[in-house]
Amino acid sequence: MSDVTSGGTTADDLPAPAEGLVLTHFLTVSDVPRSRAFYADILGGRVVLDENPCIVKVANSWIIMNPGGGPTDDKPDVVLRTPENPNTVSSFLNVRVADIHDFYTTASAKGAEFLTPPIDRRAELRCYMRDPDGYLIEVGQATGLLKGILARTDTET
């Protein structure tokens, strides 16, 4: 049986493996409640902790969120902040779905903003959306990749 933490969350709900590792994604957010609602409502996540840090379990992973801030003793000279320019990206969340058209329709109805509808890239159907702070999220469904067909490059038509 798992230990119970505050709010009824069990140790099994937290990204704390008994052995090995788990991979989580940390986001610096400007408004924790707004971002928490986005990841719970749009991506179907379950809020594990409300704040300090906010943790939302999404499928088989966790999104961890906190406001930005200055350096700490374990990360001297590092400042956390939300994206300055949403059109310049160095990393993004990559979400895989079973039915991209259903996801696109459902998420759009809930207020998600997509850059384009899903586009056929040969290996996959793919589109991108943004979270409330402007973080880019790729949403894809494997199609041709399951048959050994690789993605179209930008130079192919």
Side-chain angles (χ1 to χ4, degrees):
M1 180 163 198
S2 300
D3 294 332
V4 176
T5 62
S6 63
T9 298
T10 67
D12 290 339
D13 293 327
L14 299 171
E19 59 183 71
L21 62 87
V22 297
L23 187 62
T24 67
H25 195 75
F26 178 90
L27 296 173
T28 302
V29 300
S30 60
D31 182 332
V32 172
R34 178 184 69 173
S35 294
R36 180 178 59 231
F38 175 87
Y39 285 95
D41 296 344
I42 302 296
L43 293 183
R46 186 171 55 82
V47 177
V48 175
L49 290 176
D50 286 337
E51 295 197 35
N52 299 322
C54 172
I55 301 176
V56 178
K57 187 172 186 179
V58 180
N60 60 346
S61 190
W62 293 265
I63 305 292
I64 301 173
M65 297 169 268
N66 251 343
T72 58
D73 57 356
D74 58 343
K75 54 176 182 46
D77 303 323
V78 175
V79 175
L80 299 178
R81 63 177 176 220
T82 59
E84 290 182 12
N85 179 350
N87 295 323
T88 301
V89 178
S90 62
S91 71
F92 54 87
L93 187 62
N94 189 303
V95 176
R96 296 296 176 228
V97 297
D99 184 337
I100 196 166
H101 295 293
D102 180 60
F103 180 88
Y104 178 82
T105 301
T106 302
S108 294
K110 292 179 179 178
E113 295 182 20
F114 288 85
L115 278 61
T116 67
I119 294 175
D120 189 343
R121 302 280 301 163
R122 284 192 343 192
E124 65 184 347
L125 299 173
R126 185 174 80 195
C127 58
Y128 290 86
M129 59 192 250
R130 293 199 185 275
D131 85 348
D133 284 296
Y135 286 105
L136 191 64
I137 301 170
E138 177 183 303
V139 180
Q141 176 186 341
T143 53
L145 185 62
L146 300 174
K147 301 172 190 161
I149 300 170
L150 301 180
R152 188 179 81 226
T153 66
D154 288 341
T155 58
E156 295 177 273
T157 56

